[in-house]
Each structure stands twice: as C-alpha cells, then as structure tokens.
Amino acid sequence: MNAFVGFVSLLYLCVVAPLVSCAFNPRVERVTGEYGVQIGAAVEWSDWNYSTRNIPNVFGFGPRAYVLFTVIPFTKDDLWVMSQLFPSMGAKKQTVILTPEPYEGLESVTDEVVQETVEILKGWEDRGVTFIVRFAHEMNGSWYPWCQKPTLFIEKFRLFAEALRAGTQYATMLWAPNLGPGYPYKNGKYEAKCSGENAPEDCVVLDTDGDGKLTAADDMFSPYWPGDDYVDWVGSSLYWWGTVYPWGENEMPSPQFFYDALVGNIKQETGEPVPDFYFTYSEEKNIAMIITETAALYNLCDKDPDTEACKVNIPDGLINPEFEFDIKSTWWDQVFSLEGSTSTREMFPNIRMISWFNVRKEEQEAGGNTIDWTTYADQDLKDAFLAQISLKTEDGKEYWITDKAKKTQSFGSRVDRVVERDGVLVGASVEWLSWNFSSKAIPNKIGYTPKSYSLYTYLPLTEFDKTTMQKIFSNLTGSPSIIITPQPFQGLKKVTADAIKDFVSTVRKYEKNGLTFIVRFAPEMNGSWFPWAQSPTEYIQAFRLISDALRSGTEYATMMWAPVVGLGYPYPAGQYAQQCDKGSTSRDCKLLDTNGDGEFTYLDDMYSPYWPGDLYVDWIGAALSWWGKAYPWGENEIPGDEYFYDSLLGGGAEETPSIYKTYSEEKDIAMVITETAAMFNLCDNDKKTEACVANIKEGWITPQHEFDIKSTWWKQVYSLDGFTSTRKAFPNIKMISWLEVRRTDAEVKNNTIDWTTYSTTNIKESFLKTLNRKSNDGVRYWITG
C-alpha cells in the first residue's frame, strides 16, 4: 500500500466507520483537537522584524497559527523569511498556513518544483512546524495568473497533495476559493475569455449550466474542486469591506453578514444566488473549514481624503475611535459568536480555525488610504476583542482556543538558531595573542571545546582588526559563535554609515564561511571609562543603525545590549563621566535624570536611558565576575554567598534595577554572561599593595585558596538545582563565557590576575566535573562542543 492510498484508507475509517471516533482525517485532527476553534493571525511580517516574539504581548493573546505568503518555486527571499520565522514557530509547535502562489503560472509547478518544496517543508516539519498548504488560493477569481484554469489547477493541486502526503508526516492541503459575489469577475486581467472562436478548452468545464457562456449563473466553485480524496481543509477569506463597491466608507457590518456569506444568502449583482459554500464543501463532505483571513474595514483617510468614501467619512465624523470600536466589535461579534441560530459555533461546527487579519496597510481598493484592520489599535479595542475570544459556552467550555499553554522558550529565529532549548552554551573569552591567533590548542589546554569565543575590535575597523580576524577565523575549530565587540574609541560620531557598512560587509564575509556573530556594540555604555560612555542619544542612534544594517545585510548576525552590571553608578570619577549640573537642559542630561529631580546621581536608573528599544535588541549581555568584597580590589577573597544571583536581581543598598527581570525576563530576550571568572591575584609585580600585604599575611596565594575562590564562584554561576540556581532562577540565560585569561591588571597595581580554570590539574578537573554534572531531573544543561 503506498502512502497516498494508506492516507485515503485512514480518511475512510475516520469519516465512515462507526467505531472510529475522529471527526476529520488524522492529520487535521492533530491541529484541531477534539473541540473548539483555533485562533490564528495574518500579519505583515516586515512590521514585526520577521519574528513572532513580540506578537503575543501586543495582541494580548498567542495565535495558534500564522499565515505566510510565498511564491512557488520558492525564492531566496522566501527561504530567508522562513529561516527567520520557522525556528521559533517550530519551538512553539505552531501551525503555518503557507500560501504558495504560482506567479509564473501553473505550468511552473512541475514535479521537480513540488518535490523540492515538499523536501523543504519536511525539513521544517522535523523542527516542529506544522503546515497547512493553501495552494493557489482564489483560483476562481480573475486577478492572479493561476485564475480560471480549472483543469491545470486541479492537476497541480493533486500533484501537490500526493507529494505532501508521501513526503511529510503532518502537512495538509487547503482548498480556498474566493467566496464573495461578482463571479466570474469580468474584466480581470486573467479572466477566462469564453466567447468567440478561440475560447480555451476550460470554458466547457466553467460553463456549468451549459448555456455556452461563462456568467454569474455558472457555479463558482465546482469546476475547481480537486476531489474529496485530495482536500484536507476547505477555507476562504471573509472580510467586511462595506455594503457597496467601491469600498472605503466606514460602515457598520450588515446583520448576520458572516453567516449569510457562508450559506449563500448573498446574491450576485445579477440576482443569481451565491452557492452554499459551507454546506456543500464542508458539512456534506465532512471536511474541516478555515476562515483564513477576516477583519472589518476601518479607513483612516490619511493618504487621499478626496476619495468619494472619505468625503463621506470625514464630514460624517466616521473616523474616530468610538466608531472604529463599533465597526470592529460588531464584526467580531458575528465571527466569534457562540449561541443563537446564526452563531458560528452552532451553525458552523466544522469551522475549526479563524485567523484575524491584524494588519494596518494601504489598500488600493480604498484609494490608497490606510485601512486599520487590527484588534489592538487602542486599549479599549484590544480589551474588548480579548473579552470576546475569552467567552465560554453555556456549559463552561472554552471554544476559542489561543496559545495559553506553558510557554516554550523562543527568542526569534536568529537567536533560536544559536541557543539550546534546555541548556546553556559554554563559551570562552581568551587573549588571542597568547594562542597565536588560533583556537587549535585551546580545547586540549582548557579541557572543553567552547561554543563561543569573544573578540574585541575597533569601530571603524582597522587593518589590524581585519588581519586579526583573518588569522583567527581561518584557524577556528568546531562551529562556535563569535561574540564580537566593536568599540568606538574615537567616539560615537565616528560610527558613520561607511564604518557600519564596512563592519557589516566584513561580518557577512565570514558568515558565508559558516560563522555566526553576536555583536556587542559599545559595551558598558552606562559606565564612565570609555569614550562612548553616558551619551545615550548618540549611543542609541548608532546602536539602531548597526542593528538595522545587520538585519538587512546578514543572514544570522544578532545585536547584544551589554551595560555595566554593578554598584557605583553613575561612576562620577571616570574620565568620561557626564557632567550634568543641577538643572542642566542638555538632551542627554534630561534622559539620564530618570527621577526628574534635576540631578544625575545614583538615584537615577542606570539602564533605561541607554535602552535602544525592543525591536533592535536580540540579546541582553552582562560581564559579571567576582573581584572581591570592596574596592580597591586585589584581596583574594572567597565569593559572597549568592553574589551571582543577587547581582542579576539587583536591589541592595543602592536599589540597583534587576537587569535580568526588567530586560530579559519581561521582554523575553535571551541573555548572555559575556565574561565571568573569580579574581586570584598572584601579587607578582607589587607585593607592597595593601591587598598583597593581606594576601601574603593570610596565606591567600596558594593553590588551595585559588581552588576555593574559583570553585565557590563557578558553583554559583553553573548551578543547576535550587531556588537561586542559574537554571531555575535565570532560564533566559542561554550562554556563559568564562574569562580564560591570565594578565596584569591596572585595577590591582599591574599584578597578574589568574582568571583561568586550568591553572592546576585539580582546578581544571573540578571545573570540568561541574560542567558535566547533570541536574536532578537528568538534564545535561551546560553545553560544550
């Protein structure tokens, strides 16, 4: 038995055999569940930076499915969009209503194209994405190259259905004609010319009443039906555009319009009835139905107020939030209706998915004016929509199903490509000169293969930077991510368009060789020791420019925002401390004075003035090492209990904000500990410093004390179980890089600090044991190469 025959047999069992309880075929039931309607969304993906990350927060609910349009054959742009969206969708086990459009004509949908398409979908299916394929939708219209060609459409639909069922485990086919009146949509570019001697052969099929003509009297659906055995879902888009064409007037939806459109109570302009779509193709055939897009028109009349519609909307006061609320709520009351003789639940039980068109866009049908189709234009509208889809049936059941399940971690496709779902990548920050600009010897020396390496450069890039990158990247072992830190030591004004372009093109060059870059631009911008410090206006502008350039100019590179984490803000003794006299009116000083008291002090928020915005940041970063209990540093002290945990949560005497909760947890952005280690001062250069006098006196420069300091610290950093553990308390931390460096440091009078985990065999073996330890529930959480 081949896969297609087997599928049809299962379909027969589910629909016909009395002992089998499934209502639809098994692939469909996997999506629908036993009860209720899945709520999906159609969005303009460019408005969301090709990520689902912020959608649930803005909408107020998590869609169970998303609509995506592509062409077929897939273009490079299509594949890129998929690479951005599908990793996070797969992580959340979401459904995609994929709409491949054959703009090169149905002839272009060859066996080879279909097989290649199915193979691509199977690859994403293996990563968790479920596909509903809405192939060549609105094929009965007259506005697409595939329209009104029923013979070839049916052939290609069947070809796709058979390949999809043989080549995937879960994907399904959706047949989605145009539902509205107006058929056969005369004067459309692709209208079938069924009069005259050169009428195409399809006209015989299209002329369902046999009168020799293609008119409104002909059936608008049946010529295009591929056959019960090839269709898993039927569906259509169903909008409220208004009462009369041309569209654009802000009009209240007609009573029970949604119901009437589905059952054929709407007539053509000629008086001919529209067929009963729901009964004929869903109920009678027992096939699940999807409303693939729905919304109600609200015209802002912002582009061309001189259209006939806007000449009504503006004088009649039809452009205001109250009327927008009335239009949209009247429509969704019909679409998401539970009780009554025309309700969706009672009259259309086979409708199992409805996707709202949550888009604000210019519509040529409305004279190029912006139509706001969304449910979240203001808080009242958003709250009312959420209340509607939260209504329960009389017996207390939820019927409108949104994504209320326990959240599966996802941070957007570019970040998801790097992280592990349940684990933290272990990286290393090294002094590359000590390793002759090569990573080959590093894994053997330190005992583990890092999943990331750090690299510092200037911005603009220097020739030395580029030479260094060439040396390091040509000798990398494994497939590590690169945390690259471009530092504008000449000041933020030097971060010009040319400098950014050169940086991005360099990243793209090495990205093509398989490297993935995380860009930590101008870190510690809230400190006072770098030339880019405490200049929030210029910093944010530069950060956003680089973020935009990376997203448009690379495939995978991401942006990290990495302020100083720790006490002492605003660090007034630093060379680049912002001088804000009381009452200063400079833009930066106003931004820095977050509490509005006219001064820039420790009472002001140390993070928020520098925040570039959620849409520009992919990672939160923080360097967090143990330096000791009090400044000046240098004493070899055992780390304080829960210091790592306390530092990330903020608080303390200065009431520092929590970088983790505010910027990672609440914004759902992945976090990286870019550098961490515990200080061990060798006191080899200046033994007379106060710290070294204490270290020598107390016997704190010994291998055993070094072990105690470092192991106490890494047990906090790499903790698995317990309330304050990194795994339990900070699940958004997805990468931690140890500072594997031994170097002199001006902070301790140029004595050598050994930050490494491999200085002695005992330290090295103990650190590796910590990394390899599993949690109480058996998870290997610390991921090395």
Side-chain angles (χ1 to χ4, degrees):
M1 183 188 301
N2 65 38
F4 183 64
V5 173
F7 179 86
V8 174
S9 300
L10 282 171
L11 177 60
Y12 172 83
L13 285 171
C14 288
V15 174
V16 180
L19 297 179
V20 180
S21 61
C22 48
F24 307 115
N25 80 57
R27 293 193 182 203
V28 172
E29 282 220 328
R30 181 176 174 272
V31 175
T32 65
E34 296 181 0
Y35 184 78
V37 174
Q38 310 287 311
I39 307 300
V43 302
E44 177 55 60
W45 287 110
S46 61
D47 293 343
W48 300 92
N49 277 334
Y50 301 97
S51 169
T52 62
R53 186 174 72 194
N54 294 323
I55 288 176
N57 181 54
V58 174
F59 286 6
F61 69 94
R64 296 299 295 267
Y66 288 98
V67 176
L68 176 65
F69 288 83
T70 70
V71 298
I72 184 170
F74 292 145
T75 65
K76 288 183 179 179
D77 286 343
D78 292 328
L79 296 174
W80 180 85
V81 171
M82 292 179 192
S83 75
Q84 302 304 295
L85 292 174
F86 289 172
S88 60
M89 289 179 175
K92 296 176 182 177
K93 306 298 182 186
Q94 287 173 325
T95 298
V96 174
I97 302 174
L98 185 74
T99 306
E101 303 176 297
Y103 274 103
E104 297 178 13
L106 288 163
E107 297 83 359
S108 67
V109 186
T110 63
D111 287 0
E112 292 77 11
V113 167
V114 170
Q115 288 301 325
E116 181 180 350
T117 301
V118 170
E119 288 174 8
I120 292 170
L121 298 188
K122 180 62 168 72
W124 288 113
E125 182 183 80
D126 290 343
R127 296 180 64 177
V129 182
T130 298
F131 291 99
I132 299 172
V133 179
R134 180 172 59 155
F135 171 69
H137 69 304
E138 299 183 3
M139 78 302 297
N140 59 339
S142 63
W143 40 83
Y144 294 130
W146 57 89
C147 285
Q148 298 189 6
K149 296 178 175 64
T151 304
L152 193 54
F153 168 77
I154 289 171
E155 176 190 325
K156 300 303 183 181
F157 192 101
R158 290 178 174 180
L159 174 68
F160 213 137
E162 290 180 338
L164 203 66
R165 288 166 181 170
T168 68
Q169 192 172 358
Y170 305 120
T172 48
M173 289 293 287
L174 166 62
W175 180 72
N178 189 57
L179 201 59
Y183 185 79
Y185 313 107
K186 293 292 186 182
N187 302 318
K189 183 177 180 180
Y190 298 98
E191 172 196 356
K193 306 296 184 181
C194 290
S195 59
E197 296 180 358
N198 297 321
E201 293 181 5
D202 272 334
C203 288
V204 176
V205 179
L206 294 169
D207 179 22
T208 59
D209 66 357
D211 67 355
K213 296 179 289 185
L214 176 58
T215 68
D218 293 305
D219 192 314
M220 66 188 295
F221 302 132
S222 64
Y224 309 91
W225 179 246
D228 298 18
D229 291 341
Y230 298 91
V231 177
D232 304 303
W233 306 80
V234 297
S236 185
S237 299
L238 182 48
Y239 289 88
W240 172 252
W241 280 87
T243 55
V244 180
Y245 185 84
W247 315 122
E249 286 190 29
N250 291 336
E251 300 173 294
M252 293 292 290
S254 302
Q256 68 182 55
F257 182 88
F258 185 80
Y259 170 85
D260 288 341
L262 290 174
V263 301
N265 285 348
I266 297 174
K267 295 185 181 300
Q268 304 272 28
E269 292 179 4
T270 60
E272 300 290 340
V274 173
D276 184 335
F277 182 82
Y278 178 81
F279 176 78
T280 305
Y281 293 97
S282 180
E283 184 176 315
E284 196 169 54
K285 296 177 182 297
N286 197 43
I287 297 178
M289 185 169 175
I290 301 176
I291 304 299
T292 51
E293 298 168 25
T294 192
L297 176 141
Y298 178 68
N299 187 352
L300 300 181
C301 290
D302 57 338
K303 304 298 182 182
D304 186 357
D306 293 327
T307 61
E308 290 301 316
C310 290
K311 288 178 180 179
V312 175
N313 290 338
I314 295 170
D316 288 1
L318 304 182
I319 306 174
N320 65 73
E322 291 78 13
F323 198 61
E324 177 184 12
F325 183 94
D326 292 342
I327 291 171
K328 294 181 178 180
S329 62
T330 299
W331 181 245
W332 71 52
D333 284 348
Q334 292 185 32
V335 176
F336 300 105
S337 51
L338 289 174
E339 318 292 345
S341 60
T342 62
S343 70
T344 299
R345 174 178 172 248
E346 294 189 7
M347 299 309 297
F348 307 120
N350 280 6
I351 292 179
R352 303 306 297 275
M353 184 181 291
I354 298 175
S355 290
W356 193 274
F357 189 67
N358 251 323
V359 174
R360 180 183 295 169
K361 61 178 290 201
E362 295 176 13
E363 295 281 6
Q364 294 309 308
E365 295 279 4
N369 285 298
T370 301
I371 306 300
D372 189 328
W373 303 98
T374 70
T375 60
Y376 58 89
D378 63 46
Q379 194 63 44
D380 288 343
L381 193 72
K382 178 177 174 178
D383 291 344
F385 181 76
L386 296 178
Q388 183 70 27
I389 62 174
S390 299
L391 291 175
K392 296 183 179 180
T393 62
E394 289 181 343
D395 54 356
K397 291 183 179 179
E398 289 185 353
Y399 195 69
W400 314 112
I401 311 300
T402 58
D403 196 357
K404 298 187 181 73
K406 182 179 179 182
K407 187 172 85 171
T408 302
Q409 216 170 30
S410 177
F411 304 105
S413 59
R414 292 195 179 200
V415 175
D416 287 345
R417 182 177 176 272
V418 175
V419 303
E420 295 284 342
R421 287 190 196 176
D422 190 19
V424 171
L425 303 177
V426 178
S429 182
V430 302
E431 176 56 63
W432 285 105
L433 179 61
S434 302
W435 300 94
N436 200 26
F437 303 102
S438 171
S439 69
K440 290 181 179 178
I442 292 176
N444 183 60
K445 183 70 172 179
I446 66 179
Y448 62 95
T449 301
K451 295 292 285 186
S452 71
Y453 285 105
S454 298
L455 175 65
Y456 288 81
T457 70
Y458 287 85
L459 188 67
L461 291 173
T462 65
E463 289 304 314
F464 177 80
D465 291 328
K466 293 180 179 180
T467 301
T468 300
M469 293 166 80
Q470 176 63 35
K471 289 179 181 178
I472 295 171
F473 297 159
S474 63
N475 288 293
L476 276 178
T477 55
S479 300
S481 297
I482 304 298
I483 301 175
I484 188 167
T485 304
Q487 302 171 102
F489 275 106
Q490 298 177 52
L492 289 163
K493 284 184 170 59
K494 293 293 185 178
V495 184
T496 63
D498 288 341
I500 293 171
K501 182 179 179 181
D502 181 50
F503 177 77
V504 171
S505 65
T506 303
V507 167
R508 179 63 178 143
K509 169 186 172 183
Y510 290 107
E511 187 179 71
K512 289 180 178 178
N513 296 336
L515 294 181
T516 300
F517 289 88
I518 300 170
V519 179
R520 182 173 64 151
F521 168 67
E524 302 185 3
M525 78 301 297
N526 58 337
S528 63
W529 39 85
F530 291 130
W532 56 88
Q534 296 184 5
S535 302
T537 304
E538 288 185 349
Y539 168 77
I540 289 172
Q541 180 183 18
F543 191 103
R544 290 177 174 179
L545 288 172
I546 296 172
S547 180
D548 285 341
L550 281 173
R551 287 171 179 171
S552 61
T554 69
E555 281 194 75
Y556 307 120
T558 48
M559 284 292 283
M560 180 195 294
W561 179 72
V564 178
V565 176
L567 301 176
Y569 185 78
Y571 316 106
Q575 181 181 353
Y576 298 97
Q578 184 68 252
Q579 301 302 314
C580 293
D581 297 330
K582 189 174 180 63
S584 174
T585 59
S586 77
R587 180 177 176 83
D588 278 342
C589 287
K590 286 182 178 180
L591 289 173
L592 295 169
D593 178 23
T594 59
N595 66 358
D597 66 357
E599 298 181 285
F600 180 34
T601 69
Y602 73 94
L603 296 173
D604 294 305
D605 191 313
M606 66 186 296
Y607 300 132
S608 63
Y610 311 91
W611 179 244
D614 296 20
L615 295 179
Y616 298 92
V617 178
D618 302 300
W619 304 83
I620 307 300
L624 182 51
S625 293
W626 172 254
W627 281 85
K629 295 178 181 178
Y631 188 83
W633 316 123
E635 288 191 24
N636 292 335
E637 299 172 299
I638 301 295
D641 292 343
E642 300 180 359
Y643 182 87
F644 183 80
Y645 172 84
D646 290 340
S647 296
L648 291 174
L649 286 188
E654 295 184 8
E655 289 296 321
T656 58
S658 170
I659 188 170
Y660 180 82
K661 284 193 170 296
T662 306
Y663 293 95
S664 180
E665 183 178 291
E666 291 181 10
K667 296 179 182 295
D668 197 24
I669 299 177
M671 187 167 184
V672 179
I673 303 300
T674 54
E675 294 175 6
T676 192
M679 187 195 73
F680 182 68
N681 187 352
L682 299 182
C683 292
D684 56 343
N685 183 55
D686 186 353
K687 295 180 172 59
K688 296 180 180 179
T689 64
E690 287 187 21
C692 287
V693 169
N695 288 339
I696 294 168
K697 179 181 178 181
E698 300 293 338
W700 287 346
I701 311 176
T702 66
Q704 182 60 49
H705 197 64
E706 178 183 9
F707 176 88
D708 292 342
I709 291 172
K710 294 180 178 180
S711 63
T712 300
W713 181 246
W714 73 53
K715 286 176 183 177
Q716 291 187 32
V717 175
Y718 299 104
S719 51
L720 288 173
D721 302 297
F723 176 74
T724 61
S725 68
T726 299
R727 182 183 179 215
K728 299 292 186 181
F730 309 116
N732 280 7
I733 291 179
K734 306 304 291 182
M735 185 183 294
I736 298 176
S737 291
W738 194 275
L739 184 64
E740 296 284 9
V741 170
R742 180 185 294 170
R743 65 188 179 196
T744 59
D745 200 306
E747 292 280 2
V748 291
K749 305 297 184 183
N750 290 320
N751 284 301
T752 300
I753 305 298
D754 190 327
W755 301 97
T756 69
T757 62
Y758 59 89
S759 54
T760 70
T761 300
N762 187 31
I763 288 174
K764 179 177 177 179
E765 290 178 350
S766 180
F767 181 71
L768 296 179
K769 185 177 180 180
T770 296
L771 292 184
N772 291 325
R773 190 170 68 86
K774 294 182 180 180
S775 63
N776 290 340
D777 53 352
V779 174
R780 170 80 187 278
Y781 198 64
W782 315 112
I783 312 298
T784 56

